[in-house]
DNA sequence: TATGAATGAGCCTTCATTCAT
DNA sequence: GATGAATGAAGGCTCATTCAT
């Protein structure tokens, strides 16, 4: 049922999707949508939550703790790309919402944002713990930059599906390896 | 006049802005908007074009051809951050549209996408020309990843304005320097 | 079960109450409401009937036949005020419906209207039987006016609860005593 | 334009009227209604205000200050009946709203309520000024009762249009003369 | 040229009503 | 007998768009 919302929201964002269309696509009636989610915003939040949790779970599961940094990174990057590949539509919405700040819906999104950033930062900090607060800031910034690179690369990939995943992973991992 | 559109579209995307609001904010009447742009989509495209060209011009102007790679990169990155900083609202819309593909509006966007990616790739290729098609692909991918990193970093910066710009530039330049 | 309807209808009239709300307030399920009353209108009519009969019974029971006019009036007035006091919500609906004419539901209401008017007219005619048809008309008119006075007074009373009932009764009885 | 609202609201109260129906009956489009009145409640309030002011003006204009009490009463009562006769539909709504208390819309209604009650009380107090606070209360109560009698009588009149207005006026005036 | 006024269409939401269990 | 789940239809409101002035 949230799948219909995924497709609908991905086309025109929150405002571009109509409850009519979502209900029709989901094969149920509009009042049912309202019964389950209360409002359009409720449905949107529910969808975002599911998408966010899916991604978060995937990232956490893929983390091969104990392995060397490069391997862990590759695993995480692979998981991320896998998610984007399978949820192309949902990812577009999730990404947009991840970029927004201070919104009412932001609460849940902030969690995910933080989780991802932390994940990346931890991964890197693991090997080279930040010596100073400045270093910590730089690591955090790097985390965000890294995420953005991943996002963008994922988009590009959708346009060039013949490029093997390993190449993408290699590019990203190379980027991450740099600040050593 | 497009400035009003910039503010309006940034809140809820194309569907979230109303011609009423845009006209009111621009201080003109709605029929004038239609006179100049024909339709809402026309206005949207016009706005995107201006934003895209602004960014492109800025990037091109900042390119200090002849300088060493690192310096050129820093200049480009600085130009990009400057643009995002000055057009925070418009940038959000532009970024979203840059990510979309195959849309009717995509024609103009694809150009910009290409231009930016090429710019970055050229910068890098300048020093290490790609030996094989694979290498070229990888460079293109890297260009996109790099852009995404910049975008994301710009967003993060807006949340941490006290971080000096040099730090951000350093992070990005470091990323770019890697695949050497 | 009709009590829930009473509360619900009193707020926004027939159209203002929702079967959902009534069922919830009554603690039963909506299909039960339909099982018992067939439709929303059925429920409304059932509620009006009960309210009307309650009031009629009360008035009839209070009538102390044989007593002098003034005493009988006072008794009736007291009974009426008592009803309004106990069924403040229902009374509002009943009053509104009593004022409507020629409606499908009107059948039952007309009966009550007539009964009350007759009651009052009879009371007065008892002592001074109307000599002419005109006189009869005037008495009927007076009956309605009297009822209206009672209603309005009841409303005012709800706003000034500290005024003793005897004062109200006195006012009304004085009004009734006049046309003698 | 408010005339259409008058007819619509009188049928099923605030909740029973639809903006669609009002617009259709007024011969304009729904958005125009919203342009002029902002919302359904806005339209309702606008209508109530006009109705209330119409009635108030009529009553004030009819007051023949200086004449003996009975004549002034007759003039006021006649004005009231005249209003009800010409605005049968609107009167039903106005009456209902006059009876409601403490509502958000009540502000304007309270004014009218007070004006009418004061008018009546003043009329009576003019000749027999109240000696004690209790007497004043009784006069106020009487004012409300008198209004209710008028309302109710007006309703009855609509059912018996052949009864001459003088009879009605006589009945009411007789009631008013009583508490002397 | 510029706009106030107007509208058809659509959207979010809810309602009265029913059916499978 | 009783209900959770479901829906067609409508209601309030707004939007993109136009036309007379």
């Amino acid at each position: 049922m949230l799948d219909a919302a995924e497709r609908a929201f991905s086309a025109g964002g929150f405002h571009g999707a109509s409850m009519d269309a979502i209900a029709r696509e989901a094969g149920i009636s509009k009042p049912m949508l309202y019964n389950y989610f209360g409002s359009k915003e409720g449905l949107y939040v529910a969808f975002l939550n599911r998408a966010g949790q899916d991604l978060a779970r995937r990232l956490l599961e893929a983390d091969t703790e104990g392995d060397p940094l490069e391997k862990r990174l590759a695993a995480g990057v692979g998981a991320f790309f896998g998610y984007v590949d399978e949820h192309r539509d949902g990812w577009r919405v999730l990404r947009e919402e991840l970029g927004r700040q201070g919104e009412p819906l932001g609460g849940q999104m902030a969690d995910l944002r933080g989780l991802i950033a932390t994940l990346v930062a931890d991964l890197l900090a693991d090997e080279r713990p930040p010596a100073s607060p400045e270093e910590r800031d730089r690591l955090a910034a790097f985390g965000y930059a890294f995420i953005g690179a991943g996002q963008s690369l994922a988009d590009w990939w959708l346009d060039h599906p013949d490029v093997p995943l390993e190449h993408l992973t290699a590019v990203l991992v190379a980027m991450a390896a740099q600040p050593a």
Side-chain angles (χ1 to χ4, degrees), chain A residues 81-161:
Chain A
F81 280 139
Y83 174 82
V84 171
D85 190 28
E86 285 177 24
H87 297 276
R88 176 172 184 167
D89 287 340
W91 166 246
R92 183 183 301 288
V93 185
L94 186 57
R95 180 187 61 169
E96 175 74 357
E97 213 60 42
L98 277 172
R100 216 178 296 275
Q101 302 161 225
E103 300 286 305
L105 321 153
Q108 319 258 10
M109 284 302 102
D111 290 354
L112 179 58
R113 256 197 300 268
L115 181 137
I116 300 179
T118 307
L119 219 63
V120 174
D122 277 10
L123 231 55
L124 301 173
D126 227 35
E127 283 217 341
R128 264 164 310 103
S132 65
E134 278 172 6
E135 186 74 16
R136 261 242 311 282
D137 256 16
R138 194 181 286 231
L139 255 184
F142 178 80
Y144 273 92
F146 186 74
I147 295 166
Q151 297 179 181
S152 196
L153 206 45
D155 283 347
W156 180 83
W157 190 31
L158 300 172
D159 249 7
H160 302 73

Side-chain angles (χ1 to χ4, degrees), chain A residues 35-77:
Chain A
N35 202 21
Y36 290 149
F37 302 104
S39 71
K40 188 182 185 181
E41 191 165 317
L43 171 57
Y44 191 58
V45 169
F47 154 67
L48 282 180
N49 278 350
R50 190 191 64 164
Q53 282 167 15
D54 279 2
L55 174 55
R57 181 165 3 94
R58 202 141 175 167
L59 288 177
L60 290 172
E61 280 174 358
D63 192 11
T64 58
E65 235 168 314
D67 280 6
L69 171 64
E70 202 161 328
K71 197 158 190 182
R72 289 180 70 188
L73 262 179
V77 166

